[in-house]
Amino acid sequence: MRSLGAGQLPSIIFSTLFFLCSFFSFSQVTSSIDSTSIKIGEQITYKIQVETDTTSLVVFPEGQTFSPLEMIESYAIDTLKKNDKYNLIKKYGLTQFDSGAYTIPRQKIIVGNKTFFTDSLRVEVNNITVDTTKQGMYDIKPIIEVDKKGGDWWKYLLIVLLVIGLVGAALWWFIWRKKPLTEEEQIALLPPYDRAKLALKKLDESHYLEHEDLKTYYSELTLVIRKYLDEKVYDHSLESTTDELISRLKLLKDGNQIDLSQETIKNIENILRRADLVKFAKSAPDIALAELDRNTIDAEIDHVKEVLPEPTEEEKLLDEKYREELERKKKRKKVIITVVISLFLVLATIGGFSIKYGFNYVKDTIIGHDSIELLKADWVTSEYGFPPVTISTPKVLKRLEPNLPEELLQQVDVTMFGYGSLIEKFNIVVATSKIKNMGEGEAKIDIKQAIDGNLKTIEAAGAKNIVTKNEEFVTPNGAEGLKVFGTLDMPEANNGKYVKGNYVILGFTAKNVIQQIMLTWRENDEYADQIVERILNSVELKKEEN
């Protein structure tokens, strides 16, 4: 059977109405076809013409009422007004894909409060003749594998990798890269003696004496000797007063801890006291004396270096450990900064996506969620059973063996396909039942009774507190059926507990065939709700072929 396109859907689902308020009516209804003989698949135009007054409501046929011919298009109504009457013309495109003689049944038209029926019309559908003497015959071509389209996932992966690469490059450049040392860092790596000599050289290059800025000059000069003594002789030299520092140097000399001469201690003391006078008493010595003091400090640094003992192996080891500890601290600091920045970027990314898509969606995407994985899966559209039920599902439905008594199997052919089970988070079953030896005059199948049997089966499987509602259901290609839906308590696996759930059962009948689709899923699962809606919108039925 040929399925109907999406563009034909509105003409199938919705009635074509033309109405005017009336107190009385006059009507004449005729029907015709543009050809009584067609080839397989060729379209004929079925026309209904209604002549009525301007005050009558007219309802034309809708849906597949032309069986055994199939309606493939419903055209808009043409309206012609003549005096106080309307001439309404409604056209339908019909076809048939099997050869034979067919009768288009009488069609029902409602005009005002009266009902009219058209005449039945006969149509011959002929085979297409193929002249094999002129038609070239070729071997059957081998099966060719079709590459499955992978989707656009690689684009998103590429973007993620690009972002990670950019962030990684930025972290390496600004944090982990071994940067060139600044001048201050290079000076800090020099031994104390070299550092002191370099500081004196920079003091010579300054312009303090030229500008007679003796206060700054003496501050820098005494800082040089204090720093050197702090690192090599007494580790509180920087914060000690002049008296405290000189007392400590004398004490170290008397204790034979350092062999400083009296002259060296006296020279250092004189310069420190002169610097105090300059800084605090605003004394102003000669420039020549200041230069002499600079040279004295230079000489005394040499004297201190000469009397210092060589560092022991233990001291060298301690220095090495100190440097290693400093390196570890730097590395730890880099790790902390990297983790903080990475965590910030991750949280910022999650926050941005949460604002756009919602926090729950982002959380379920990252952590994982059974229903969202089904929703994002590569859906499959397939036909199940005979007559076939066309349906789109997240997974291919597998054939199931119906658990029915032998006596019932002798009366009914049942084919079932499904995914999941009642105790799982999502379950779908498509079943087609064909009743054997059902005569033309036998009673019509009660689809509601068949669905009630399904509900009893669900209850026997462990469900309870089943609440039912029902309404008519029309598939996208115009097949009419019954929809039973509601809530139930679903059993969980092996723990005796129940969870709230929802269910939908669709039922359709045609001659001796019952077609059913059953869905069950957990309550408050928004992704499962979207899956169910998408599945229901995909259901199409095809008529059984002769």
Side-chain angles (χ1 to χ4, degrees), residues 102-209:
Y102 298 93
T103 300
I104 302 175
R106 301 168 66 199
Q107 299 298 309
K108 179 180 177 181
I109 295 95
I110 299 174
V111 181
N113 57 0
K114 294 183 179 181
T115 301
F116 296 86
F117 290 91
T118 65
D119 294 331
S120 59
L121 300 173
R122 191 170 180 79
V123 178
E124 292 282 345
V125 180
N126 302 311
N127 278 318
I128 299 174
T129 304
V130 178
D131 188 350
T132 58
T133 62
K134 296 180 179 179
Q135 176 67 41
M137 305 300 289
Y138 306 96
D139 291 336
I140 298 173
K141 292 183 178 181
I143 296 174
I144 300 175
E145 281 196 25
V146 178
D147 293 334
K148 184 178 178 182
K149 188 177 180 182
D152 294 334
W153 62 269
W154 62 272
K155 294 182 181 178
Y156 299 107
L157 178 61
L158 189 62
I159 292 172
V160 171
L161 293 176
L162 182 61
V163 171
I164 292 174
L166 291 174
V167 172
L171 289 174
W172 175 82
W173 180 263
F174 293 106
I175 298 176
W176 290 95
R177 178 176 62 97
K178 193 172 182 179
K179 307 175 186 68
L181 296 176
T182 62
E183 185 180 359
E184 290 77 9
E185 290 173 333
Q186 291 176 352
I187 293 173
L189 292 176
L190 294 174
Y193 175 80
D194 295 335
R195 227 180 303 136
K197 290 292 186 176
L198 182 62
L200 289 175
K201 183 178 178 182
K202 286 185 174 295
L203 185 61
D204 293 339
E205 295 171 356
S206 68
H207 302 284
Y208 299 134
L209 296 180

Side-chain angles (χ1 to χ4, degrees), residues 32-267:
S32 62
I33 53 177
D34 62 349
S35 177
T36 59
S37 179
I38 61 171
K39 295 178 181 179
I40 290 176
E42 188 179 353
Q43 178 178 314
I44 62 173
T45 302
Y46 183 93
K47 182 171 69 175
I48 300 175
Q49 188 168 336
V50 177
E51 185 180 350
T52 184
D53 53 50
T54 58
T55 60
S56 296
L57 164 69
V58 179
V59 180
F60 287 100
E62 61 180 60
Q64 298 292 347
T65 62
F66 301 93
S67 180
L69 268 69
E70 183 176 344
M71 186 188 77
I72 57 176
E73 189 165 1
S74 176
Y75 299 97
I77 301 171
D78 291 330
T79 306
L80 301 175
K81 186 174 182 182
K82 187 177 179 181
N83 298 329
D84 60 344
K85 292 185 176 61
Y86 277 121
N87 189 16
L88 308 178
I89 301 173
K90 174 70 174 175
K91 295 180 181 180
Y92 303 88
L94 309 179
T95 192
Q96 174 57 251
F97 296 95
D98 289 320
S99 61
Y102 298 93
T103 300
I104 302 175
R106 301 168 66 199
Q107 299 298 309
K108 179 180 177 181
I109 295 95
I110 299 174
V111 181
N113 57 0
K114 294 183 179 181
T115 301
F116 296 86
F117 290 91
T118 65
D119 294 331
S120 59
L121 300 173
R122 191 170 180 79
V123 178
E124 292 282 345
V125 180
N126 302 311
N127 278 318
I128 299 174
T129 304
V130 178
D131 188 350
T132 58
T133 62
K134 296 180 179 179
Q135 176 67 41
M137 305 300 289
Y138 306 96
D139 291 336
I140 298 173
K141 292 183 178 181
I143 296 174
I144 300 175
E145 281 196 25
V146 178
D147 293 334
K148 184 178 178 182
K149 188 177 180 182
D152 294 334
W153 62 269
W154 62 272
K155 294 182 181 178
Y156 299 107
L157 178 61
L158 189 62
I159 292 172
V160 171
L161 293 176
L162 182 61
V163 171
I164 292 174
L166 291 174
V167 172
L171 289 174
W172 175 82
W173 180 263
F174 293 106
I175 298 176
W176 290 95
R177 178 176 62 97
K178 193 172 182 179
K179 307 175 186 68
L181 296 176
T182 62
E183 185 180 359
E184 290 77 9
E185 290 173 333
Q186 291 176 352
I187 293 173
L189 292 176
L190 294 174
Y193 175 80
D194 295 335
R195 227 180 303 136
K197 290 292 186 176
L198 182 62
L200 289 175
K201 183 178 178 182
K202 286 185 174 295
L203 185 61
D204 293 339
E205 295 171 356
S206 68
H207 302 284
Y208 299 134
L209 296 180
E210 294 177 14
H211 297 96
E212 297 185 357
D213 187 1
L214 295 173
K215 180 178 180 180
T216 305
Y217 184 85
Y218 271 96
S219 295
E220 294 289 334
L221 180 62
T222 54
L223 182 61
V224 173
I225 188 62
R226 281 179 177 273
K227 277 187 176 180
Y228 184 66
L229 294 174
D230 186 83
E231 291 184 88
K232 303 303 292 183
V233 179
Y234 174 50
D235 59 0
H236 291 289
S237 299
L238 286 172
E239 62 266 25
S240 299
T241 63
T242 299
D243 290 338
E244 291 173 344
L245 177 57
I246 297 303
S247 297
R248 174 60 63 172
L249 292 178
K250 291 178 179 179
L251 185 62
L252 291 173
K253 174 180 172 52
D254 295 340
N256 295 321
Q257 295 185 24
I258 185 169
D259 189 18
L260 287 174
S261 65
Q262 290 291 348
E263 183 182 359
T264 296
I265 295 175
K266 188 63 178 176
N267 288 338

Side-chain angles (χ1 to χ4, degrees), residues 370 421-425 461-464 488-501 522-523:
D370 292 340
S421 64
L422 186 64
I423 62 175
E424 296 182 25
K425 293 183 178 180
K464 63 180 184 179
L488 75 169
D489 291 340
M490 303 165 61
E492 287 191 322
N494 303 323
N495 60 10
K497 296 182 180 179
Y498 286 82
V499 293
K500 291 291 184 182
R522 300 289 177 91
E523 197 174 51

Side-chain angles (χ1 to χ4, degrees), residues 273-511:
R273 293 194 184 281
R274 192 160 26 252
D276 291 340
L277 290 173
V278 171
K279 288 186 288 184
F280 303 114
K282 296 182 180 180
S283 174
D286 293 336
I287 300 299
L289 180 59
E291 292 176 346
L292 180 61
D293 287 342
R294 182 263 178 221
N295 293 331
T296 302
I297 290 295
D298 190 6
E300 299 307 334
I301 289 174
D302 291 337
H303 294 157
V304 173
K305 181 177 182 296
E306 290 173 1
V307 300
L308 287 174
E310 288 294 325
T312 64
E313 290 299 323
E314 185 178 353
E315 289 175 336
K316 290 179 180 179
L317 186 61
L318 288 174
D319 288 342
E320 183 65 25
K321 288 182 178 179
Y322 176 71
R323 282 193 294 271
E324 290 176 356
E325 182 63 26
L326 286 180
E327 196 63 33
R328 279 196 295 270
K329 286 182 179 179
K330 287 182 181 179
K331 188 174 181 180
R332 192 181 304 118
K333 183 179 179 181
K334 290 179 180 179
V335 170
I336 293 172
I337 293 174
T338 302
V339 170
V340 170
I341 292 176
S342 301
L343 187 61
F344 171 77
L345 290 174
V346 169
L347 293 176
T349 302
I350 293 174
F353 280 109
S354 298
I355 292 172
K356 185 173 182 180
Y357 299 107
F359 175 74
N360 288 334
Y361 180 84
V362 175
K363 178 196 69 175
D364 294 335
T365 301
I366 296 173
I367 298 175
H369 192 286
D370 292 340
S371 297
I372 201 172
E373 289 175 6
L374 288 176
L375 185 61
K376 289 184 174 182
D378 292 331
W379 283 51
V380 179
T381 301
S382 188
E383 296 180 349
Y384 300 94
F386 186 81
V389 176
T390 303
I391 190 170
S392 295
T393 54
K395 300 288 184 181
V396 177
L397 305 185
K398 296 181 180 179
R399 182 180 289 273
L400 305 175
E401 290 297 327
N403 187 17
L404 298 175
E406 186 63 30
E407 296 179 358
L408 186 57
L409 288 175
Q410 293 177 0
Q411 302 176 21
V412 182
D413 284 332
V414 181
T415 56
M416 295 177 63
F417 301 85
Y419 168 80
S421 64
L422 186 64
I423 62 175
E424 296 182 25
K425 293 183 178 180
F426 188 83
N427 180 35
I428 177 171
V429 176
V430 177
T432 301
S433 304
K434 195 169 185 178
I435 302 174
K436 302 176 182 178
N437 303 320
M438 184 174 179
E440 293 291 336
E442 294 189 25
K444 186 178 179 182
I445 297 173
D446 187 348
I447 188 61
K448 190 174 186 307
Q449 185 177 357
I451 293 178
D452 287 342
N454 268 349
L455 293 174
K456 290 179 181 178
T457 303
I458 295 174
E459 192 172 14
K464 63 180 184 179
N465 299 329
I466 302 175
V467 178
T468 63
K469 302 176 186 177
N470 64 78
E471 64 184 20
E472 292 183 356
F473 183 84
V474 180
T475 67
N477 68 337
E480 297 181 358
L482 180 66
K483 175 183 177 182
V484 176
F485 59 99
T487 59
L488 75 169
D489 291 340
M490 303 165 61
E492 287 191 322
N494 303 323
N495 60 10
K497 296 182 180 179
Y498 286 82
V499 293
K500 291 291 184 182
N502 300 308
Y503 74 92
V504 169
I505 302 176
L506 302 182
F508 305 89
T509 60
K511 296 182 181 178

